[in-house]
Structure formats: C-alpha cells, structure tokens
C-alpha cells in the first residue's frame, strides 16, 4: 500500500501539471546550486517510492514548461502530441464516460493482455525531458499499448503487486540481460557494477504523472553504450 502526503500546489498557465512549492523553488534556483541526482540517490528514492523527489534541473524545467505551453497550443495537450508524433500509434476512438461528460483515456489495440509480453505492444523511447542526473545516467521510457493495472487513484494510483511483478520480469529480460550480453555475463560497467546494479525502474503514481492517458514505465540505466540504447529503442510496435 502506498502512503501519500498532501502537498500544496500552485497552477501556472504554462504548466501542463500543478507545480508544487518545491517546483517553484527549483525554478528560482541557478543550475550551479541544484543537486544533480546520483545513482545512489536514485536507488534510495526508488526503493522508498519517494518519486516526488525526482526533479528536473532548473534550466530544463524552464525549457520544459515553455515547450509544453507550445505543444498544448498546437496539439491541445501533451498526450495527443506523444501519441501522434512520438509513438505514432492510432488509438481506438475515445468514448465519453457515461453520465460524467469526460473523455476516457485513449486505448489501443494490443496483442497480449499482459503488459510487455509482446514486442508489438510497447515502444522504448529515450526520454526527451529527463530528470536532473549526474553524467552517465540515461533515461528511457517504455510506453505500453496494454493497460497497466494500478491501485485506486484516491490512494495515489501506485502499481498493483501483479503489475510490479510483470514489470520486474520485463526489465530483467530486456535490460539486465541486454547488458549481460553486451559485455559478457557478470562483467560490470565503469565502476565494476553488475548488469543488474546498472538498471533501475519506476512508474510514477497516477497522481504524479505529467503525461497521463498512455501507460508508461521509466527505466534508468548507468554507463550504457549508445549502441545498446539504439538496440533497445528499435521500433517493433509499428
């Protein structure tokens, strides 16, 4: 069960999501004074599920807000842009939620009911707007046509235990074994870390997502070659 804390938020016209007091503080902070997240920091944040601690560096957050404002004006929102331009997926026609006057989240034709079981049901892309990391950490996003089950949004919308198991198996199969195959099983990265120690993953609670509507999982990798990134991001879903 996920425990969430209530945070005061301030909405700005140019922001696609509510900005917390911490976000506003970051925007007023020089890059030189911003703490870049280390691999050790990320381990602690993800293991404790304190995902609200993941922040972009100030200059990147400024750029992201300006970019998102332009995208909202051109596409009507970030989700339509991601679907049309980045994923190039064709959603099933949206339907109105009966009696609520709201549009349901986009849904896509998929081959497996289990997320990440069929390569045609997901896409791995480099994150265009990563968080503020030290050098050597790469941020990938795995987008899923198959819905990923989460808990009730009122409880934060964290993953169910079954979803967590499915994602863990996928990360092991694709990313960890991929690194083992790249450098030889058991061979570590620059710091001598094993393949498993060079991969982290998380899925933002629904309440923390800046891009809602298309299920996705974040994967962080350390000391990985451009060739391996290119291999992972080959599209087999189109």
């Amino acid at each position: 069960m996920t425990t969430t804390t209530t945070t005061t938020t301030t909405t700005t016209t140019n922001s696609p999501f509510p900005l917390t007091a911490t976000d506003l503080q970051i925007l007023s902070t020089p890059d030189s004074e911003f703490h870049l997240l280390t691999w050790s920091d990320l381990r602690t944040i993800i293991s404790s599920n304190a995902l609200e601690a993941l922040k972009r560096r100030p200059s990147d957050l400024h750029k992201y807000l300006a970019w998102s404002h332009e995208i909202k004006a051109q596409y009507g929102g970030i989700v339509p842009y991601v679907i049309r331009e980045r994923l190039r997926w064709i959603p099933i026609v949206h339907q109105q939620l009966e009696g609520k006057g709201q549009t349901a989240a986009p849904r896509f034709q998929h081959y497996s009911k289990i997320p990440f079981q069929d390569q045609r049901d997901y896409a791995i892309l480099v994150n265009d707007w990563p968080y503020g990391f030290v050098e050597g950490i790469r941020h990938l996003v795995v987008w899923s046509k198959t819905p990923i089950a989460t808990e009730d949004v009122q409880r934060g919308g964290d993953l169910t235990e079954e979803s967590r198991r499915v994602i863990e198996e996928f990360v092991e199969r694709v990313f960890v074994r991929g690194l083992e195959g790249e450098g030889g099983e058991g061979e570590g990265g620059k710091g001598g870390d094993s393949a498993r120690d060079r991969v982290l993953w998380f899925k933002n609670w629904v309440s923390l997502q800046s891009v809602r509507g298309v299920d996705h999982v974040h994967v962080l990798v350390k000391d990985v070659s451009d060739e391996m990134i290119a291999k992972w991001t080959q599209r087999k879903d189109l």
Side-chain angles (χ1 to χ4, degrees):
M1 180 183 299
T2 300
T3 301
T4 58
T5 57
T6 301
T7 306
T8 301
T9 60
T10 302
T11 303
T12 67
T13 302
N14 292 352
S15 176
F17 52 87
L19 295 178
T20 66
T22 301
D23 291 325
L24 296 173
Q25 182 180 9
I26 290 173
L27 288 170
S28 64
T29 302
D31 276 3
S32 59
E33 297 179 14
F34 180 77
H35 172 70
L36 294 175
L37 295 169
T38 66
W39 196 249
S40 178
D41 291 333
L42 293 170
R43 281 183 176 279
T44 300
I45 289 169
I46 293 172
S47 64
S48 61
N49 216 11
L51 302 180
E52 67 278 5
L54 296 169
K55 300 296 181 184
R56 296 178 177 90
R57 72 178 71 203
S59 58
D60 288 340
L61 183 55
H62 276 287
K63 293 174 184 176
Y64 177 70
L65 292 177
W67 171 85
S68 66
H69 182 63
E70 294 178 2
I71 291 299
K72 286 172 64 179
Q74 184 175 354
Y75 293 89
I78 295 178
V79 171
Y81 164 79
V82 169
I83 293 174
R84 190 184 314 172
E85 303 295 346
R86 294 293 278 123
L87 294 173
R88 306 196 302 278
W89 290 349
I90 300 176
I92 298 172
V93 177
H94 294 191
Q95 295 182 341
Q96 291 294 114
L97 296 177
E98 186 175 355
K100 296 186 178 181
Q102 299 176 358
T103 302
R107 289 291 179 262
F108 306 91
Q109 295 284 358
H110 47 276
Y111 293 88
S112 175
K113 295 181 179 180
I114 302 174
F116 311 120
Q117 293 299 300
D118 192 306
Q119 291 181 321
R120 296 169 294 181
D121 288 341
Y122 64 86
I124 303 173
L125 303 179
V126 174
N127 190 351
D128 295 330
W129 297 99
Y131 298 109
F133 305 134
V134 297
E135 187 177 355
I137 298 174
R138 307 288 290 273
H139 189 167
L140 304 172
V141 183
V142 188
W143 301 88
S144 177
K145 294 180 181 179
T146 307
I148 302 173
T150 60
E151 295 177 349
D152 193 297
V153 176
Q154 298 301 319
R155 299 165 61 190
D158 196 9
L159 289 167
T160 64
E161 288 302 317
E162 177 61 15
S163 291
R164 194 171 295 278
R165 182 191 65 78
V166 167
I167 296 170
E168 184 64 41
E169 290 180 354
F170 166 72
V171 169
E172 180 75 23
R173 181 176 74 250
V174 173
F175 296 98
V176 175
R177 293 181 188 173
L179 288 178
E180 289 174 346
E182 181 186 42
E185 187 171 356
E187 186 172 330
K190 293 180 181 178
D193 295 329
S194 68
R196 189 65 190 86
D197 289 336
R198 293 159 58 201
V199 181
L200 295 170
W201 70 268
F202 66 92
K203 183 180 186 301
N204 272 329
W205 310 335
V206 174
S207 59
L208 291 177
Q209 291 175 4
S210 59
V211 180
R212 300 187 187 183
V214 185
D215 282 339
H216 56 283
V217 172
H218 298 260
V219 176
L220 308 177
V221 291
K222 182 166 73 83
D223 299 333
V224 174
S225 68
D226 290 340
E227 290 75 17
M228 180 56 67
I229 296 293
K231 180 178 180 180
W232 282 330
T233 54
Q234 287 180 343
R235 300 294 296 270
K236 299 177 181 177
D237 55 294
L238 298 175

